Amino acid sequence: MRIKDKPQKRYEELLKQRPEVLQRIPQHYIASYLGITPVIHFKLSLALDVRQISINQNPGIKF
């Protein structure tokens, strides 16, 4: 993870590399680690959840 990357990319990399961390560590600590505010972290997590649901329901659609 690089701080030069966009917040969404940093969040996605953390999710791929250490998915268990997102369940075990308070969200404000994760936001701090990613260099974003807790509000931005919350919005990213919602956006990725919605995107994941859409992909699972419509596998032919690319985001």
Side-chain angles (χ1 to χ4, degrees):
M1 181 182 73
R2 297 180 333 207
I3 201 70
K4 291 181 179 180
D5 293 334
K6 291 185 177 186
Q8 182 173 349
K9 184 173 181 178
R10 295 194 306 260
Y11 183 81
E12 289 173 347
E13 285 183 20
L14 178 63
L15 186 59
K16 286 178 191 174
Q17 294 173 1
R18 304 288 306 270
E20 74 281 359
V21 167
L22 299 175
Q23 300 298 319
R24 298 176 61 202
I25 296 177
Q27 300 302 305
H28 64 280
Y29 289 134
I30 294 171
S32 177
Y33 174 76
L34 294 171
I36 58 177
T37 66
V39 172
I40 297 298
H41 175 263
F42 177 72
K43 289 179 180 183
L44 282 174
S45 64
L46 285 180
L48 289 175
D49 287 344
V50 168
R51 191 171 80 182
Q52 191 64 33
I53 290 169
S54 296
I55 290 170
N56 289 338
Q57 291 177 351
N58 302 305
I61 296 175
K62 303 260 188 227
F63 286 88

